[in-house]
């Protein structure tokens, strides 16, 4: 029976760029456009960063500076688990009196999962619990920065040229800028700067030229050491590809050079409707909170259809299926169902004919207190017993008749659900006196149910 | 200098640099010394147990679109942690990438993620940027193929060979199954890759020639040099895969074996040199750059140089090439990140990055990415530099397959 409650049994159609059929629990409802939205038709944005192990929020400026890594937590380079700081007592000489020794605390990092410790790579124990551990620096940083400066200078020149000669014919300047500019390692007398299309440094620009050495090519490459052919491989000492790629700057081949890295942050996402640019979902700032500041999910606005029981379905025989309809809003909702017409472009999956109740169904509003009220007062709705099976606070059960048209395969039916929607927080409009605060809009959704295989 | 100093002084945000490779993707930000992440180019889907490769050229557009969308989503929201709408994108890619793939990728970036602009940069050109030299002969030994390309700004001679990491994996996997005692039917590819990375290496020239001879056994008397010791590789925590020593050094040999057309990686280089104009040959042969993950195998560079030097003596090349000196550069990054680093350096040049990229407005107006060989479209002046390079003198060298 629980299989009937699976969300994939009832799909709602979303008319975005593509037509997507998704359960209602995975959809959002834009209250301003009055349309359903799925994850594909909203734009995702990064809202806030936090560390997954210490659950500390990090402002985005700091995150950018720290390269999206937490300042306090480390990852084990072998197994990617979070490292914990352990302390030992070591004897250390007192600063005042070198002869006497006292116990000092020394901290080191250790992995609880694979038993890796920071002492394995030769990192000395630190005397402060946190903040003492440094990541090694890339040896090529200086050279790369110089290269960037040099190219930036070339780029500036090109931009100046471009700005000046806006109407002239174009040529990409950068490559040609190389030929007149770069001081090659060969004996080529540095071409005079004025050769660069008459560009002269005006406007008090800096006269300082940044030239860099071109890289020197090597004649010989180091060969493999001789014992490579005969030395047995110590597999635990050789790093796996995954371990290497976690440290793109160094990619060490030996496990004794694997340094731990700071832990990478996670982020919280906020969603925004593409059409009206309103936020559909905005999480709380606090990493430990699972609530949302804005949560426009579809299940809190659209009545939800669920399958309650399915009889044996036989080919070309009419059977009654019991469905439930739940009203998520607090006011009374009127729902009418329509069958899909012939040649409906949305109706591509149905393999059975369906007869839906023709009368309008009325759903009571959701009353939070009603679940504690044991004596449910009669709600005073006149229900047709052929259509409505039961009624309980904001939920009703009703029958539809299904006639499977195919002999084999799953039975799928589709119908249209039309309900009224009161936009309680409509965009601010000047309300005239005496007018109802909100008007009802009628929304129509295309719903598909998959009722399972035919009974044999 | 003081006028233009400071990248982050309230200017544009740093661009996102992505190098989508067949096996691994390198992603990060402009102006940094290394990629933030190197992740396998695949996504895991709920349906299939195996991961789906992202860079596939033969699948239909819809499927490719959804795979790329999911992958780029992961890149932004799990690894880079930034908003796509704020930052320009530089995609470092191989020139052999089919237009259909490039167009789908740009559609994903523009339509779904709404990035401000995209620039497609050829990976070989970018690697040269990390060196500060004018021109070089760049060889990219990657996963699916080995590709040679020439420096700035001419694209004249290129060569490719479908021999890369993937070929090594398949050979390695098969020989291991045949020779080793394992209780498994087939070894998954990531295990093969791991074994290759950790245990295999490239022998030097003499030893390599002897191994090749012993394999083909032309005169029946060639003896195989003593293999390196075997390795016990634990598999799944329970079984042990016994990797024979002979596998360790012989699998890399297939990169250097000359097949029926007498093509190997080394001849690739020499053939390219032959194709080049004579006056450029000397400059190019002294400025070799090798990038790509496969070239990180221990002993690869040394072997390559020795092979080239020995092949240049052969009659086929001796007359054609007068130059005999070959020099290799060592870029300031690991070979698998060199192209990425070049892209990062270029992406840090905010002055011209904007003018050379394809902006979102341009894309929404025309709906296409100008390809590097596309001479037809009458582009307005302001976006002339939107193409990657100046239109080359020769027409497109290969056909697009859909």
């Amino acid at each position: 029976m629980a299989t009937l409650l699976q969300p994939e049994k009832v799909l709602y159609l979303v008319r975005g760029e593509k037509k997507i059929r998704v359960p209602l629990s995975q959809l959002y409802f834009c209250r301003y456009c009055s349309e359903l939205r799925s994850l594909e038709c909203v734009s995702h944005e990064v809202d806030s960063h936090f560390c997954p192990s210490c659950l500390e929020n990090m402002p985005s400026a700091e995150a950018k500076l720290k390269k999206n890594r937490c300042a306090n937590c480390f990852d084990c380079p072998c197994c990617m688990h979070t490292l914990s700081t352990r302390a030992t007592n070591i004897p250390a000489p007192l600063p005042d009196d070198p002869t006497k020794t006292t116990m000092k605390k020394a901290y080191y990092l250790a992995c609880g999962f694979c038993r890796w410790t920071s002492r394995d790579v030769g990192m000395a124990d630190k005397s402060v619990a946190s903040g003492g551990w440094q990541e090694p620096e890339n040896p090529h940083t200086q050279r790369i920065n110089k290269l960037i400066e040099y190219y930036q200078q070339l780029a500036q020149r090109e931009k100046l040229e471009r700005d000046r000669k806006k109407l002239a014919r174009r040529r990409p300047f950068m490559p040609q800028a190389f030929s007149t500019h770069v001081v090659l390692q060969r004996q080529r007398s540095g071409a005079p700067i004025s050769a660069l299309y008459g560009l002269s440094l005006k406007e008090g620009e800096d006269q300082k030229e940044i030239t860099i050495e071109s890289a020197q090519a090597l004649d010989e490459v180091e060969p493999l050491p001789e014992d490579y052919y005969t030395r047995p491989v110590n597999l635990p000492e050789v790093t796996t590809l995954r371990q290497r790629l976690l440290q793109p700057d160094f990619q060490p081949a030996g496990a004794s050079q694997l340094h731990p890295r700071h832990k990478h942050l996670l982020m919280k996402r906020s969603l925004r409707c593409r059409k009206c640019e309103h936020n559909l979902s905005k999480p709380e700032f606090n990493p430990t909170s699972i609530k949302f500041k804005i949560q426009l999910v579809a299940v809190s606005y659209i009545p939800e259809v669920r399958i309650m029981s399915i009889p044996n379905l036989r080919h070309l025989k009419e059977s009654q299926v019991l469905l439930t309809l739940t009203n998520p809003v607090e006011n009374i909702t009127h729902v009418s169902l329509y069958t899909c017409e012939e040649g409906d472009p949305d109706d591509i999956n149905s393999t059975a004919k369906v007869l839906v109740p023709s009368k309008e169904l009325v759903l009571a509003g959701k009353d939070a207190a009603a679940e504690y009220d044991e004596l449910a007062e009669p709600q005073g709705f006149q229900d047709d017993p052929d259509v409505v099976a039961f009624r309980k606070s904001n939920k009703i059960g009703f029958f539809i008749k299904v006639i499977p048209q195919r002999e084999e395969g799953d039975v799928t039916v589709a119908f249209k659900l039309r309900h009224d929607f009161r936009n309680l927080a409509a965009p601010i409009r000047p309300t005239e006196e005496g007018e109802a605060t909100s008007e009802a809009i009628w929304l129509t959704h295309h719903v598909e149910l998959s009722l399972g295989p035919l009974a044999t | 200098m003081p006028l233009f100093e400071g990248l982050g002084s309230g200017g544009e945000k740093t661009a996102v640099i992505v190098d989508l490779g067949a096996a691994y993707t390198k992603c990060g930000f402009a102006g940094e010394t290394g990629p933030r992440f190197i992740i396998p180019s695949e996504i895991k889907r709920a349906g299939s147990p195996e991961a789906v490769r992202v860079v596939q050229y033969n699948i239909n557009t819809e499927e490719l679109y959804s795979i790329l969308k999911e992958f780029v989503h992961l890149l932004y929201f799990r690894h880079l942690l930034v908003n796509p709408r704020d930052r320009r994108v530089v995609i470092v890619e191989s020139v052999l990438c089919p237009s259909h793939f490039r167009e789908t990728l740009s559609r994903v970036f523009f339509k779904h993620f709404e990035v401000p602009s995209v620039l497609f940069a050829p990976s070989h050109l970018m690697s040269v940027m990390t060196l500060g030299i004018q021109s070089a002969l760049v060889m990219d030994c990657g996963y699916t193929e080995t590709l040679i390309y020439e420096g700035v700004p001419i694209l004249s001679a290129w060569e490719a060979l479908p021999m890369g990491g993937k070929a090594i994996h398949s050979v390695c996997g098969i020989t291991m199954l045949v020779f080793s005692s394992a209780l498994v039917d087939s070894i998954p590819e990531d295990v093969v890759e791991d074994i290759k990375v950790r245990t295999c290496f490239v022998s030097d020239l003499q030893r390599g020639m002897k191994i090749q001879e012993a394999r083909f056994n032309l005169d029946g008397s060639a003896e195989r040099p003593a293999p390196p010791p075997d390795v016990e590789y634990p598999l799944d925590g329970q079984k042990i895969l016994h990797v024979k020593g002979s596998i360790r050094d012989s699998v890399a040999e297939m990169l250097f074996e000359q097949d029926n057309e007498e093509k190997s990686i080394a001849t690739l280089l020499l053939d390219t040199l032959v194709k080049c104009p004579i006056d450029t040959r000397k400059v190019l042969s002294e400025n070799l750059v090798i990038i790509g993950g496969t070239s990180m195998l221990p002993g690869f560079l040394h072997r390559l140089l020795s092979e080239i030097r020995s092949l240049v003596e052969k009659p086929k090349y001796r007359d054609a090439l007068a130059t005999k000196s070959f020099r290799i550069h060592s870029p300031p990054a690991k070979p698998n990140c060199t192209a990425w680093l070049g892209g990062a350096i270029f992406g840090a040049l905010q002055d011209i990055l904007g003018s050379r990229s394809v902006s979102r407005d341009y894309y929404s107006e025309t709906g296409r990415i100008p390809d590097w060989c596309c001479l037809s479209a009458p582009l307005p002046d302001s976006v002339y530099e939107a193409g990657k390079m100046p239109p080359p003198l020769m027409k497109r060298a290969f056909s697009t397959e859909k």
Side-chain angles (χ1 to χ4, degrees):
Chain A
M1 269 300 281
T3 54
L4 294 177
L5 292 175
Q6 274 177 5
E8 280 81 29
K9 295 274 179 186
V10 180
L11 302 175
Y12 283 67
L13 177 73
V14 178
R15 289 184 185 87
E17 273 184 22
K18 282 185 286 207
K19 300 207 167 162
I20 309 173
R21 287 167 171 77
V22 179
L24 195 67
S25 49
Q26 295 173 11
L27 289 176
Y28 294 86
F29 181 69
C30 181
R31 185 160 74 175
Y32 306 91
C33 313
S34 303
E35 277 176 17
L36 283 175
R37 298 258 176 260
S38 76
L39 275 178
E40 312 250 322
C41 23
V42 295
S43 66
H44 302 241
E45 288 166 4
V46 171
D47 197 58
S48 59
H49 305 272
F50 65 96
C51 171
S53 70
C54 60
L55 289 179
E56 184 195 319
N57 195 340
M58 200 172 268
S60 47
E62 194 187 334
K64 211 160 56 166
L65 200 59
K66 297 245 165 62
K67 304 204 176 174
N68 291 336
R69 293 200 178 251
C70 177
N72 306 324
C73 308
F74 285 88
D75 272 341
C76 172
C78 283
C79 64
M80 285 62 107
H81 185 65
T82 314
L83 289 176
S84 48
T85 312
R86 301 225 185 114
T88 56
N89 283 322
I90 53 163
L94 267 179
D96 308 331
D97 193 351
T99 49
K100 286 208 204 120
T101 58
T102 177
M103 304 304 280
K104 242 183 19 169
K105 277 208 181 283
Y107 299 94
Y108 64 97
L109 296 169
C111 174
F113 189 65
C114 68
R115 306 273 184 248
W116 178 92
T117 66
S118 59
R119 292 171 174 166
D120 293 345
V121 285
M123 287 168 73
D125 296 349
K126 298 279 185 288
S127 49
V128 285
S130 64
W133 307 99
Q134 301 293 337
E135 284 189 24
E137 217 196 75
N138 189 351
H140 300 290
T141 314
Q142 282 218 339
R143 166 81 176 154
I144 295 175
N145 286 337
K146 265 194 357 189
L147 277 169
I148 294 184
E149 273 177 21
Y150 169 68
Y151 283 121
Q152 271 188 325
Q153 197 192 31
L154 289 179
Q156 284 159 25
R157 286 187 200 278
E158 178 178 337
K159 184 169 176 221
L160 281 174
E161 268 301 311
R162 186 165 46 93
D163 288 341
R164 274 212 279 146
K165 292 188 178 183
K166 262 214 170 99
L167 301 176
R169 61 194 166 89
R170 304 306 184 92
R171 241 179 308 166
F173 284 105
M174 280 259 298
Q176 267 131 356
F178 285 171
S179 59
T180 52
H181 229 76
V182 167
V183 176
L184 288 183
Q185 60 197 18
R186 314 263 162 225
Q187 292 82 19
R188 179 167 164 179
S189 52
I193 302 175
S194 57
L196 187 61
Y197 307 101
L199 172 72
S200 51
L201 296 173
K202 291 185 197 161
E203 304 149 27
E205 264 182 53
D206 213 302
Q207 293 281 336
K208 184 163 146 214
E209 274 273 315
I210 307 177
T211 54
I212 54 159
E213 301 169 4
S214 325
Q216 302 280 344
L218 300 169
D219 231 353
E220 287 298 330
V221 182
E222 266 180 37
L224 273 186
E226 276 304 316
D227 63 346
Y228 221 95
Y229 304 128
T230 49
R231 186 173 30 128
V233 168
N234 180 12
L235 258 189
E237 175 58 26
V238 182
T239 51
T240 65
L241 193 58
R242 194 152 166 246
Q243 287 167 351
R244 282 183 217 190
L245 295 181
L246 281 180
Q247 318 219 353
D249 284 342
F250 304 101
Q251 294 184 32
S256 52
Q257 282 131 34
L258 275 182
H259 286 268
R261 284 199 87 178
H262 287 277
K263 202 163 186 63
H264 195 245
L265 302 175
L266 295 179
M267 56 95 201
K268 287 199 178 192
R269 238 182 330 175
S270 66
L271 304 172
R272 198 182 277 274
C273 172
R274 281 188 210 260
K275 283 198 196 141
C276 61
E277 304 284 334
H278 279 103
N279 260 330
L280 294 178
S281 158
K282 201 168 163 72
E284 286 270 346
F285 201 59
N286 189 359
T288 52
S289 157
I290 57 168
K291 298 196 186 168
F292 288 86
K293 284 187 200 156
I294 304 176
Q295 194 183 17
L296 296 177
V297 283
V299 285
S300 41
Y301 291 97
I302 312 283
E304 190 178 356
V305 175
R306 282 204 177 180
I307 308 177
M308 188 142 174
S309 78
I310 309 180
N312 288 331
L313 299 165
R314 295 195 200 282
H315 179 51
L316 291 178
K317 294 224 176 14
E318 193 180 278
S319 14
Q320 275 198 346
V321 175
L322 180 59
L323 304 176
T324 59
L325 198 60
T326 318
N327 180 15
V329 294
E330 283 163 354
N331 32 22
I332 296 184
T333 310
H334 305 267
V335 179
S336 18
L337 305 166
Y338 300 98
T339 51
C340 296
E341 289 155 30
E342 289 288 327
D344 191 351
D346 296 333
D347 188 12
I348 47 175
N349 283 337
S350 58
T351 58
K353 267 207 229 159
V354 59
L355 298 167
V356 291
S358 48
K359 278 201 279 202
E360 201 179 63
L361 303 165
V362 184
L363 298 171
K366 182 166 156 187
D367 189 5
E371 49 183 313
Y372 303 109
D373 197 357
E374 308 243 325
L375 304 161
E377 299 153 16
Q379 288 171 330
F381 294 105
Q382 311 298 334
D383 290 329
D384 185 355
D386 287 336
V387 172
V388 176
F390 64 87
R391 180 179 285 273
K392 187 178 174 204
S393 69
N394 63 335
K395 182 156 68 163
I396 64 163
F398 63 100
F399 293 105
I400 60 170
K401 297 183 175 47
V402 173
I403 309 167
Q405 301 290 309
R406 304 222 183 124
E407 288 186 1
E408 299 181 334
D410 282 353
V411 179
T412 321
V413 296
F415 54 85
K416 302 261 192 260
L417 180 93
R418 187 165 177 260
H419 69 104
D420 61 341
F421 167 66
R422 284 204 157 68
N423 201 352
L424 292 169
I428 297 177
R429 282 175 312 190
T431 49
E432 290 148 21
E433 299 297 333
E435 206 175 86
T437 47
S438 52
E439 305 165 355
I441 321 173
W442 288 88
L443 300 172
T444 311
H445 308 290
H446 177 92
V447 183
E448 287 186 7
L449 309 170
S450 66
L451 300 172
L454 288 167
T456 44
Chain B
M1 179 92 121
L3 278 178
F4 301 99
E5 199 177 37
L7 226 84
S9 57
E12 264 185 38
K13 296 193 183 175
T14 52
V16 167
I17 318 287
V18 177
D19 180 356
L20 262 183
Y24 286 94
T25 297
K26 282 71 76 183
C27 63
F29 292 100
E32 298 197 350
T33 58
R36 293 270 176 104
F37 282 94
I38 303 182
I39 52 177
S41 304
E42 48 195 29
I43 54 169
K44 291 205 174 7
R45 278 223 164 134
S48 58
E50 265 188 34
V52 177
R53 284 204 176 274
V54 167
V55 180
Q56 294 179 42
Y57 297 144
N58 297 325
I59 55 179
N60 69 333
T61 317
E62 280 311 309
E63 178 75 13
L64 183 65
Y65 184 81
S66 66
I67 291 180
L68 280 175
K69 189 164 58 165
E70 218 175 299
F71 187 68
V72 176
H73 188 272
L74 276 182
L75 272 185
Y76 271 114
F77 295 112
R78 190 179 296 177
H79 295 108
L80 293 173
L81 301 188
V82 286
N83 274 332
R85 277 188 180 182
D86 297 337
R87 293 161 195 264
R88 300 180 183 274
V89 179
V90 174
I91 301 179
V92 179
E93 46 125 38
S94 146
V95 273
L96 290 190
C97 183
S99 289
H100 147 248
F101 185 83
R102 200 179 283 147
E103 271 164 28
T104 314
L105 187 60
S106 42
R107 190 154 60 99
V108 166
F109 272 109
F110 281 124
K111 283 266 159 356
H112 195 256
F113 292 99
E114 298 178 355
V115 298
S117 74
V118 163
L119 172 68
F120 281 94
S123 53
H124 298 72
L125 190 53
M126 291 293 116
S127 342
V128 176
M129 278 197 75
T130 64
L131 297 168
I133 56 179
Q134 267 187 301
S135 53
L137 188 61
V138 181
M139 179 153 102
D140 181 359
C141 304
Y143 183 67
T144 45
E145 59 200 0
T146 302
L147 173 61
I148 298 217
Y149 188 102
E150 250 191 85
V152 173
I154 313 164
L155 162 68
S156 66
W158 66 272
E159 290 251 348
L161 197 61
M163 196 165 272
K166 187 155 84 172
I168 296 188
H169 290 176
S170 51
V171 162
C172 196
I174 295 174
T175 44
M176 277 203 294
L177 282 176
V178 167
F179 285 121
S180 51
S181 62
L183 306 166
V184 290
D185 293 327
S186 69
I187 309 178
E189 190 171 351
D190 46 344
V191 173
V192 174
E193 185 179 41
D194 197 43
I195 293 180
K196 171 193 89 168
V197 163
R198 291 165 89 185
T199 62
C200 296
F201 57 88
V202 184
S203 339
D204 67 1
L205 190 57
Q206 286 91 11
R207 196 158 185 279
M209 292 320 246
K210 279 196 230 155
I211 296 179
Q212 285 183 21
E213 276 171 21
R215 183 146 161 234
F216 294 119
N217 220 359
L218 294 170
D219 36 5
S221 63
E223 218 180 71
R224 199 200 187 292
D230 302 341
V231 177
E232 306 268 335
Y233 186 85
L235 201 67
D236 285 351
Q238 289 172 15
K239 307 171 209 159
I240 293 200
L241 183 62
H242 198 83
V243 179
K244 275 214 143 28
S246 51
I247 297 179
R248 285 179 60 201
D249 54 2
S250 53
V251 281
E253 286 305 315
M254 51 158 286
L255 287 174
F256 295 101
E257 266 168 18
Q258 302 192 1
D259 57 6
N260 289 336
E261 293 179 9
E262 286 195 9
K263 277 195 172 192
S264 76
I265 289 190
T267 61
L268 209 63
L269 255 164
L270 295 173
D271 288 338
T272 317
L273 272 180
V274 168
K275 274 196 199 175
C276 299
I278 295 187
D279 43 356
T280 59
R281 281 180 201 166
K282 185 159 168 63
V283 173
L284 288 175
S285 72
E286 301 203 335
N287 288 295
L288 297 177
V289 183
I290 317 284
I291 62 176
T294 306
S295 67
M296 288 171 80
L297 279 175
F300 186 91
L301 286 180
H302 180 79
R303 172 66 181 274
L304 187 65
L305 263 187
S306 339
E307 283 263 343
I308 296 173
R309 290 197 172 121
S310 83
L311 276 175
V312 124
E313 305 297 327
K314 296 267 168 65
K316 184 170 161 196
Y317 296 110
R318 190 177 42 206
D319 310 321
L321 291 174
T323 167
K324 298 283 185 286
S325 70
F326 294 95
R327 295 201 185 147
I328 282 194
H329 279 277
S330 46
K334 297 276 175 186
N336 53 358
C337 305
T338 308
W340 184 91
L341 184 62
I345 293 178
F346 193 78
L349 311 174
Q350 288 174 350
D351 297 330
I352 54 168
L353 181 63
S355 64
R356 285 185 182 231
S357 309
V358 181
S359 70
R360 184 157 38 132
D361 302 328
Y362 177 77
Y363 183 79
S364 45
E365 272 173 49
T366 60
R368 342 179 330 259
I369 293 278
D371 217 335
W372 55 267
C373 69
C374 181
L375 306 169
S376 59
L379 302 170
D381 262 357
S382 62
V383 291
Y384 178 73
E385 271 116 26
K388 289 180 288 184
M389 276 165 46
L393 301 172
M394 76 177 204
K395 291 220 193 304
R396 196 169 193 152
F398 54 93
S399 64
T400 24
E401 353 172 37
K402 288 261 170 176

